Amino acid sequence: MECTCCGACCVAPDIAALDKPLGVRCRHLGDDNLCTIYESRPQICRDYAADALCERIAAPSLHERVERYLTEFGLLDEARANAGASSMRQARGLPILG
């Protein structure tokens, strides 16, 4: 399956390599839902491949696609709790190490 460039995979899951919390838009996702660091993106992003989940969560808006993704994995409440977090550590209530 080919990627539809919908952006859901850059919002819904957490991405440890980018310190991106669950349900929070990646800071590298452009307004056009394309990666602004595509050529230097982390390996986890390079390895991601579109699959049947992408078809199951298809919806008119990014918000709807992300909500469907999170619902699929039972993570909607956790993602809502992360809404104001700027990092995975903050989202998990862990101390920020300096």
Side-chain angles (χ1 to χ4, degrees):
M1 171 177 192
E2 283 202 37
C3 178
T4 62
C5 300
C6 76
C9 62
C10 299
V11 179
D14 57 5
I15 304 172
L18 296 171
D19 195 26
K20 190 203 85 59
L22 181 73
V24 175
R25 185 182 181 95
C26 179
R27 67 183 178 274
H28 302 295
L29 186 62
D31 291 338
D32 56 1
N33 290 334
L34 297 177
C35 181
T36 62
I37 62 164
Y38 188 79
E39 294 303 320
S40 62
R41 68 197 186 281
Q43 192 63 48
I44 190 74
C45 299
R46 291 174 184 277
D47 292 344
Y48 180 80
D51 59 18
L53 175 62
C54 299
E55 292 175 348
R56 287 196 307 274
I57 67 167
S61 73
L62 176 58
H63 175 78
E64 290 171 284
R65 291 186 295 271
V66 169
E67 193 165 284
R68 289 179 180 186
Y69 180 111
L70 295 167
T71 298
E72 179 92 12
F73 293 100
L75 297 169
L76 192 54
D77 290 339
E78 183 179 345
R80 286 181 176 154
N82 291 342
S86 60
S87 70
M88 287 177 69
R89 295 189 70 78
Q90 183 183 32
R92 294 186 175 145
L94 299 172
I96 304 299
L97 304 175

mmCIF file with all atom_site columns, all heavy atoms in Angstrom, residues 40-60:
data_model
loop_
_atom_site.group_PDB
_atom_site.id
_atom_site.type_symbol
_atom_site.label_atom_id
_atom_site.label_alt_id
_atom_site.label_comp_id
_atom_site.label_asym_id
_atom_site.label_entity_id
_atom_site.label_seq_id
_atom_site.pdbx_PDB_ins_code
_atom_site.Cartn_x
_atom_site.Cartn_y
_atom_site.Cartn_z
_atom_site.occupancy
_atom_site.B_iso_or_equiv
_atom_site.pdbx_formal_charge
_atom_site.auth_seq_id
_atom_site.auth_comp_id
_atom_site.auth_asym_id
_atom_site.auth_atom_id
_atom_site.pdbx_PDB_model_num
ATOM 1   N N   . SER A 1 40 ? 16.384  13.816 6.648  1.00 0.00 ? 40 SER A N   1
ATOM 2   C CA  . SER A 1 40 ? 17.175  13.488 7.839  1.00 0.00 ? 40 SER A CA  1
ATOM 3   C C   . SER A 1 40 ? 16.312  12.925 8.967  1.00 0.00 ? 40 SER A C   1
ATOM 4   O O   . SER A 1 40 ? 16.729  12.916 10.120 1.00 0.00 ? 40 SER A O   1
ATOM 5   C CB  . SER A 1 40 ? 17.930  14.731 8.321  1.00 0.00 ? 40 SER A CB  1
ATOM 6   O OG  . SER A 1 40 ? 17.016  15.755 8.681  1.00 0.00 ? 40 SER A OG  1
ATOM 7   N N   . ARG A 1 41 ? 15.125  12.436 8.639  1.00 0.00 ? 41 ARG A N   1
ATOM 8   C CA  . ARG A 1 41 ? 14.209  11.894 9.655  1.00 0.00 ? 41 ARG A CA  1
ATOM 9   C C   . ARG A 1 41 ? 14.827  10.665 10.317 1.00 0.00 ? 41 ARG A C   1
ATOM 10  O O   . ARG A 1 41 ? 15.667  9.990  9.715  1.00 0.00 ? 41 ARG A O   1
ATOM 11  C CB  . ARG A 1 41 ? 12.856  11.557 9.037  1.00 0.00 ? 41 ARG A CB  1
ATOM 12  C CG  . ARG A 1 41 ? 12.853  10.391 8.062  1.00 0.00 ? 41 ARG A CG  1
ATOM 13  C CD  . ARG A 1 41 ? 11.585  10.401 7.209  1.00 0.00 ? 41 ARG A CD  1
ATOM 14  N NE  . ARG A 1 41 ? 11.475  9.230  6.369  1.00 0.00 ? 41 ARG A NE  1
ATOM 15  C CZ  . ARG A 1 41 ? 12.112  9.045  5.224  1.00 0.00 ? 41 ARG A CZ  1
ATOM 16  N NH1 . ARG A 1 41 ? 12.965  9.963  4.778  1.00 0.00 ? 41 ARG A NH1 1
ATOM 17  N NH2 . ARG A 1 41 ? 11.928  7.948  4.524  1.00 0.00 ? 41 ARG A NH2 1
ATOM 18  N N   . PRO A 1 42 ? 14.432  10.370 11.553 1.00 0.00 ? 42 PRO A N   1
ATOM 19  C CA  . PRO A 1 42 ? 15.001  9.223  12.265 1.00 0.00 ? 42 PRO A CA  1
ATOM 20  C C   . PRO A 1 42 ? 14.627  7.887  11.596 1.00 0.00 ? 42 PRO A C   1
ATOM 21  O O   . PRO A 1 42 ? 13.659  7.809  10.833 1.00 0.00 ? 42 PRO A O   1
ATOM 22  C CB  . PRO A 1 42 ? 14.388  9.304  13.660 1.00 0.00 ? 42 PRO A CB  1
ATOM 23  C CG  . PRO A 1 42 ? 13.444  10.425 13.670 1.00 0.00 ? 42 PRO A CG  1
ATOM 24  C CD  . PRO A 1 42 ? 13.472  11.108 12.359 1.00 0.00 ? 42 PRO A CD  1
ATOM 25  N N   . GLN A 1 43 ? 15.385  6.872  11.931 1.00 0.00 ? 43 GLN A N   1
ATOM 26  C CA  . GLN A 1 43 ? 15.190  5.550  11.328 1.00 0.00 ? 43 GLN A CA  1
ATOM 27  C C   . GLN A 1 43 ? 13.783  5.010  11.560 1.00 0.00 ? 43 GLN A C   1
ATOM 28  O O   . GLN A 1 43 ? 13.199  4.399  10.678 1.00 0.00 ? 43 GLN A O   1
ATOM 29  C CB  . GLN A 1 43 ? 16.230  4.551  11.863 1.00 0.00 ? 43 GLN A CB  1
ATOM 30  C CG  . GLN A 1 43 ? 16.282  3.261  11.076 1.00 0.00 ? 43 GLN A CG  1
ATOM 31  C CD  . GLN A 1 43 ? 16.712  3.475  9.630  1.00 0.00 ? 43 GLN A CD  1
ATOM 32  O OE1 . GLN A 1 43 ? 17.696  4.156  9.369  1.00 0.00 ? 43 GLN A OE1 1
ATOM 33  N NE2 . GLN A 1 43 ? 15.976  2.905  8.689  1.00 0.00 ? 43 GLN A NE2 1
ATOM 34  N N   . ILE A 1 44 ? 13.215  5.241  12.731 1.00 0.00 ? 44 ILE A N   1
ATOM 35  C CA  . ILE A 1 44 ? 11.867  4.734  13.020 1.00 0.00 ? 44 ILE A CA  1
ATOM 36  C C   . ILE A 1 44 ? 10.868  5.292  12.012 1.00 0.00 ? 44 ILE A C   1
ATOM 37  O O   . ILE A 1 44 ? 9.957   4.595  11.567 1.00 0.00 ? 44 ILE A O   1
ATOM 38  C CB  . ILE A 1 44 ? 11.439  5.034  14.484 1.00 0.00 ? 44 ILE A CB  1
ATOM 39  C CG1 . ILE A 1 44 ? 10.167  4.295  14.843 1.00 0.00 ? 44 ILE A CG1 1
ATOM 40  C CG2 . ILE A 1 44 ? 11.272  6.514  14.725 1.00 0.00 ? 44 ILE A CG2 1
ATOM 41  C CD1 . ILE A 1 44 ? 10.340  2.823  15.062 1.00 0.00 ? 44 ILE A CD1 1
ATOM 42  N N   . CYS A 1 45 ? 11.046  6.536  11.622 1.00 0.00 ? 45 CYS A N   1
ATOM 43  C CA  . CYS A 1 45 ? 10.157  7.143  10.621 1.00 0.00 ? 45 CYS A CA  1
ATOM 44  C C   . CYS A 1 45 ? 10.458  6.578  9.226  1.00 0.00 ? 45 CYS A C   1
ATOM 45  O O   . CYS A 1 45 ? 9.544   6.357  8.425  1.00 0.00 ? 45 CYS A O   1
ATOM 46  C CB  . CYS A 1 45 ? 10.318  8.657  10.618 1.00 0.00 ? 45 CYS A CB  1
ATOM 47  S SG  . CYS A 1 45 ? 9.894   9.436  12.198 1.00 0.00 ? 45 CYS A SG  1
ATOM 48  N N   . ARG A 1 46 ? 11.718  6.335  8.940  1.00 0.00 ? 46 ARG A N   1
ATOM 49  C CA  . ARG A 1 46 ? 12.100  5.753  7.641  1.00 0.00 ? 46 ARG A CA  1
ATOM 50  C C   . ARG A 1 46 ? 11.529  4.336  7.495  1.00 0.00 ? 46 ARG A C   1
ATOM 51  O O   . ARG A 1 46 ? 11.144  3.921  6.408  1.00 0.00 ? 46 ARG A O   1
ATOM 52  C CB  . ARG A 1 46 ? 13.613  5.698  7.503  1.00 0.00 ? 46 ARG A CB  1
ATOM 53  C CG  . ARG A 1 46 ? 14.251  7.045  7.380  1.00 0.00 ? 46 ARG A CG  1
ATOM 54  C CD  . ARG A 1 46 ? 15.793  6.943  7.380  1.00 0.00 ? 46 ARG A CD  1
ATOM 55  N NE  . ARG A 1 46 ? 16.355  8.268  7.345  1.00 0.00 ? 46 ARG A NE  1
ATOM 56  C CZ  . ARG A 1 46 ? 16.532  8.981  6.242  1.00 0.00 ? 46 ARG A CZ  1
ATOM 57  N NH1 . ARG A 1 46 ? 16.202  8.483  5.080  1.00 0.00 ? 46 ARG A NH1 1
ATOM 58  N NH2 . ARG A 1 46 ? 17.033  10.195 6.304  1.00 0.00 ? 46 ARG A NH2 1
ATOM 59  N N   . ASP A 1 47 ? 11.488  3.598  8.599  1.00 0.00 ? 47 ASP A N   1
ATOM 60  C CA  . ASP A 1 47 ? 11.033  2.206  8.561  1.00 0.00 ? 47 ASP A CA  1
ATOM 61  C C   . ASP A 1 47 ? 9.511   2.073  8.506  1.00 0.00 ? 47 ASP A C   1
ATOM 62  O O   . ASP A 1 47 ? 9.006   1.018  8.142  1.00 0.00 ? 47 ASP A O   1
ATOM 63  C CB  . ASP A 1 47 ? 11.540  1.440  9.793  1.00 0.00 ? 47 ASP A CB  1
ATOM 64  C CG  . ASP A 1 47 ? 13.041  1.246  9.773  1.00 0.00 ? 47 ASP A CG  1
ATOM 65  O OD1 . ASP A 1 47 ? 13.669  1.410  8.699  1.00 0.00 ? 47 ASP A OD1 1
ATOM 66  O OD2 . ASP A 1 47 ? 13.602  0.941  10.840 1.00 0.00 ? 47 ASP A OD2 1
ATOM 67  N N   . TYR A 1 48 ? 8.788   3.125  8.869  1.00 0.00 ? 48 TYR A N   1
ATOM 68  C CA  . TYR A 1 48 ? 7.324   3.042  8.868  1.00 0.00 ? 48 TYR A CA  1
ATOM 69  C C   . TYR A 1 48 ? 6.825   2.837  7.446  1.00 0.00 ? 48 TYR A C   1
ATOM 70  O O   . TYR A 1 48 ? 7.283   3.475  6.504  1.00 0.00 ? 48 TYR A O   1
ATOM 71  C CB  . TYR A 1 48 ? 6.703   4.309  9.452  1.00 0.00 ? 48 TYR A CB  1
ATOM 72  C CG  . TYR A 1 48 ? 5.194   4.226  9.462  1.00 0.00 ? 48 TYR A CG  1
ATOM 73  C CD1 . TYR A 1 48 ? 4.537   3.519  10.452 1.00 0.00 ? 48 TYR A CD1 1
ATOM 74  C CD2 . TYR A 1 48 ? 4.445   4.778  8.442  1.00 0.00 ? 48 TYR A CD2 1
ATOM 75  C CE1 . TYR A 1 48 ? 3.154   3.392  10.442 1.00 0.00 ? 48 TYR A CE1 1
ATOM 76  C CE2 . TYR A 1 48 ? 3.066   4.668  8.425  1.00 0.00 ? 48 TYR A CE2 1
ATOM 77  C CZ  . TYR A 1 48 ? 2.433   3.969  9.417  1.00 0.00 ? 48 TYR A CZ  1
ATOM 78  O OH  . TYR A 1 48 ? 1.075   3.839  9.402  1.00 0.00 ? 48 TYR A OH  1
ATOM 79  N N   . ALA A 1 49 ? 5.868   1.948  7.308  1.00 0.00 ? 49 ALA A N   1
ATOM 80  C CA  . ALA A 1 49 ? 5.264   1.697  5.995  1.00 0.00 ? 49 ALA A CA  1
ATOM 81  C C   . ALA A 1 49 ? 3.744   1.696  6.136  1.00 0.00 ? 49 ALA A C   1
ATOM 82  O O   . ALA A 1 49 ? 3.192   1.151  7.090  1.00 0.00 ? 49 ALA A O   1
ATOM 83  C CB  . ALA A 1 49 ? 5.735   0.349  5.455  1.00 0.00 ? 49 ALA A CB  1
ATOM 84  N N   . ALA A 1 50 ? 3.090   2.320  5.192  1.00 0.00 ? 50 ALA A N   1
ATOM 85  C CA  . ALA A 1 50 ? 1.625   2.334  5.190  1.00 0.00 ? 50 ALA A CA  1
ATOM 86  C C   . ALA A 1 50 ? 1.112   0.900  5.140  1.00 0.00 ? 50 ALA A C   1
ATOM 87  O O   . ALA A 1 50 ? 1.706   0.035  4.499  1.00 0.00 ? 50 ALA A O   1
ATOM 88  C CB  . ALA A 1 50 ? 1.130   3.129  3.997  1.00 0.00 ? 50 ALA A CB  1
ATOM 89  N N   . ASP A 1 51 ? -0.004  0.655  5.824  1.00 0.00 ? 51 ASP A N   1
ATOM 90  C CA  . ASP A 1 51 ? -0.579  -0.686 5.862  1.00 0.00 ? 51 ASP A CA  1
ATOM 91  C C   . ASP A 1 51 ? -2.098  -0.603 5.956  1.00 0.00 ? 51 ASP A C   1
ATOM 92  O O   . ASP A 1 51 ? -2.680  0.467  5.753  1.00 0.00 ? 51 ASP A O   1
ATOM 93  C CB  . ASP A 1 51 ? 0.023   -1.497 7.008  1.00 0.00 ? 51 ASP A CB  1
ATOM 94  C CG  . ASP A 1 51 ? -0.185  -0.857 8.380  1.00 0.00 ? 51 ASP A CG  1
ATOM 95  O OD1 . ASP A 1 51 ? -1.070  0.019  8.514  1.00 0.00 ? 51 ASP A OD1 1
ATOM 96  O OD2 . ASP A 1 51 ? 0.517   -1.230 9.317  1.00 0.00 ? 51 ASP A OD2 1
ATOM 97  N N   . ALA A 1 52 ? -2.732  -1.701 6.301  1.00 0.00 ? 52 ALA A N   1
ATOM 98  C CA  . ALA A 1 52 ? -4.200  -1.764 6.362  1.00 0.00 ? 52 ALA A CA  1
ATOM 99  C C   . ALA A 1 52 ? -4.776  -0.786 7.388  1.00 0.00 ? 52 ALA A C   1
ATOM 100 O O   . ALA A 1 52 ? -5.901  -0.317 7.232  1.00 0.00 ? 52 ALA A O   1
ATOM 101 C CB  . ALA A 1 52 ? -4.657  -3.186 6.673  1.00 0.00 ? 52 ALA A CB  1
ATOM 102 N N   . LEU A 1 53 ? -4.019  -0.465 8.437  1.00 0.00 ? 53 LEU A N   1
ATOM 103 C CA  . LEU A 1 53 ? -4.493  0.500  9.428  1.00 0.00 ? 53 LEU A CA  1
ATOM 104 C C   . LEU A 1 53 ? -4.787  1.840  8.755  1.00 0.00 ? 53 LEU A C   1
ATOM 105 O O   . LEU A 1 53 ? -5.780  2.495  9.075  1.00 0.00 ? 53 LEU A O   1
ATOM 106 C CB  . LEU A 1 53 ? -3.465  0.686  10.546 1.00 0.00 ? 53 LEU A CB  1
ATOM 107 C CG  . LEU A 1 53 ? -3.800  1.766  11.571 1.00 0.00 ? 53 LEU A CG  1
ATOM 108 C CD1 . LEU A 1 53 ? -5.097  1.433  12.317 1.00 0.00 ? 53 LEU A CD1 1
ATOM 109 C CD2 . LEU A 1 53 ? -2.648  1.954  12.534 1.00 0.00 ? 53 LEU A CD2 1
ATOM 110 N N   . CYS A 1 54 ? -3.959  2.233  7.831  1.00 0.00 ? 54 CYS A N   1
ATOM 111 C CA  . CYS A 1 54 ? -4.159  3.508  7.131  1.00 0.00 ? 54 CYS A CA  1
ATOM 112 C C   . CYS A 1 54 ? -5.522  3.529  6.433  1.00 0.00 ? 54 CYS A C   1
ATOM 113 O O   . CYS A 1 54 ? -6.194  4.559  6.433  1.00 0.00 ? 54 CYS A O   1
ATOM 114 C CB  . CYS A 1 54 ? -3.046  3.733  6.117  1.00 0.00 ? 54 CYS A CB  1
ATOM 115 S SG  . CYS A 1 54 ? -1.405  3.822  6.874  1.00 0.00 ? 54 CYS A SG  1
ATOM 116 N N   . GLU A 1 55 ? -5.915  2.411  5.879  1.00 0.00 ? 55 GLU A N   1
ATOM 117 C CA  . GLU A 1 55 ? -7.229  2.317  5.226  1.00 0.00 ? 55 GLU A CA  1
ATOM 118 C C   . GLU A 1 55 ? -8.353  2.358  6.258  1.00 0.00 ? 55 GLU A C   1
ATOM 119 O O   . GLU A 1 55 ? -9.374  3.005  6.042  1.00 0.00 ? 55 GLU A O   1
ATOM 120 C CB  . GLU A 1 55 ? -7.331  1.044  4.400  1.00 0.00 ? 55 GLU A CB  1
ATOM 121 C CG  . GLU A 1 55 ? -6.430  1.048  3.186  1.00 0.00 ? 55 GLU A CG  1
ATOM 122 C CD  . GLU A 1 55 ? -6.449  -0.270 2.423  1.00 0.00 ? 55 GLU A CD  1
ATOM 123 O OE1 . GLU A 1 55 ? -6.981  -1.277 2.949  1.00 0.00 ? 55 GLU A OE1 1
ATOM 124 O OE2 . GLU A 1 55 ? -5.922  -0.284 1.306  1.00 0.00 ? 55 GLU A OE2 1
ATOM 125 N N   . ARG A 1 56 ? -8.157  1.699  7.401  1.00 0.00 ? 56 ARG A N   1
ATOM 126 C CA  . ARG A 1 56 ? -9.199  1.652  8.439  1.00 0.00 ? 56 ARG A CA  1
ATOM 127 C C   . ARG A 1 56 ? -9.456  3.005  9.086  1.00 0.00 ? 56 ARG A C   1
ATOM 128 O O   . ARG A 1 56 ? -10.565 3.285  9.519  1.00 0.00 ? 56 ARG A O   1
ATOM 129 C CB  . ARG A 1 56 ? -8.854  0.619  9.519  1.00 0.00 ? 56 ARG A CB  1
ATOM 130 C CG  . ARG A 1 56 ? -9.012  -0.811 9.059  1.00 0.00 ? 56 ARG A CG  1
ATOM 131 C CD  . ARG A 1 56 ? -9.040  -1.797 10.216 1.00 0.00 ? 56 ARG A CD  1
ATOM 132 N NE  . ARG A 1 56 ? -7.941  -1.703 11.141 1.00 0.00 ? 56 ARG A NE  1
ATOM 133 C CZ  . ARG A 1 56 ? -6.761  -2.307 11.001 1.00 0.00 ? 56 ARG A CZ  1
ATOM 134 N NH1 . ARG A 1 56 ? -6.517  -3.043 9.928  1.00 0.00 ? 56 ARG A NH1 1
ATOM 135 N NH2 . ARG A 1 56 ? -5.833  -2.185 11.920 1.00 0.00 ? 56 ARG A NH2 1
ATOM 136 N N   . ILE A 1 57 ? -8.442  3.842  9.158  1.00 0.00 ? 57 ILE A N   1
ATOM 137 C CA  . ILE A 1 57 ? -8.613  5.140  9.821  1.00 0.00 ? 57 ILE A CA  1
ATOM 138 C C   . ILE A 1 57 ? -8.903  6.270  8.843  1.00 0.00 ? 57 ILE A C   1
ATOM 139 O O   . ILE A 1 57 ? -9.014  7.426  9.250  1.00 0.00 ? 57 ILE A O   1
ATOM 140 C CB  . ILE A 1 57 ? -7.395  5.496  10.697 1.00 0.00 ? 57 ILE A CB  1
ATOM 141 C CG1 . ILE A 1 57 ? -6.147  5.737  9.846  1.00 0.00 ? 57 ILE A CG1 1
ATOM 142 C CG2 . ILE A 1 57 ? -7.176  4.436  11.772 1.00 0.00 ? 57 ILE A CG2 1
ATOM 143 C CD1 . ILE A 1 57 ? -4.996  6.391  10.590 1.00 0.00 ? 57 ILE A CD1 1
ATOM 144 N N   . ALA A 1 58 ? -9.040  5.955  7.577  1.00 0.00 ? 58 ALA A N   1
ATOM 145 C CA  . ALA A 1 58 ? -9.279  6.996  6.563  1.00 0.00 ? 58 ALA A CA  1
ATOM 146 C C   . ALA A 1 58 ? -10.464 7.870  6.973  1.00 0.00 ? 58 ALA A C   1
ATOM 147 O O   . ALA A 1 58 ? -11.493 7.377  7.431  1.00 0.00 ? 58 ALA A O   1
ATOM 148 C CB  . ALA A 1 58 ? -9.534  6.355  5.212  1.00 0.00 ? 58 ALA A CB  1
ATOM 149 N N   . ALA A 1 59 ? -10.279 9.177  6.836  1.00 0.00 ? 59 ALA A N   1
ATOM 150 C CA  . ALA A 1 59 ? -11.313 10.157 7.195  1.00 0.00 ? 59 ALA A CA  1
ATOM 151 C C   . ALA A 1 59 ? -10.964 11.471 6.507  1.00 0.00 ? 59 ALA A C   1
ATOM 152 O O   . ALA A 1 59 ? -9.821  11.681 6.096  1.00 0.00 ? 59 ALA A O   1
ATOM 153 C CB  . ALA A 1 59 ? -11.374 10.320 8.712  1.00 0.00 ? 59 ALA A CB  1
ATOM 154 N N   . PRO A 1 60 ? -11.930 12.370 6.420  1.00 0.00 ? 60 PRO A N   1
ATOM 155 C CA  . PRO A 1 60 ? -11.699 13.641 5.732  1.00 0.00 ? 60 PRO A CA  1
ATOM 156 C C   . PRO A 1 60 ? -10.659 14.558 6.384  1.00 0.00 ? 60 PRO A C   1
ATOM 157 O O   . PRO A 1 60 ? -9.974  15.297 5.692  1.00 0.00 ? 60 PRO A O   1
ATOM 158 C CB  . PRO A 1 60 ? -13.070 14.316 5.733  1.00 0.00 ? 60 PRO A CB  1
ATOM 159 C CG  . PRO A 1 60 ? -14.049 13.245 6.010  1.00 0.00 ? 60 PRO A CG  1
ATOM 160 C CD  . PRO A 1 60 ? -13.329 12.205 6.792  1.00 0.00 ? 60 PRO A CD  1
#
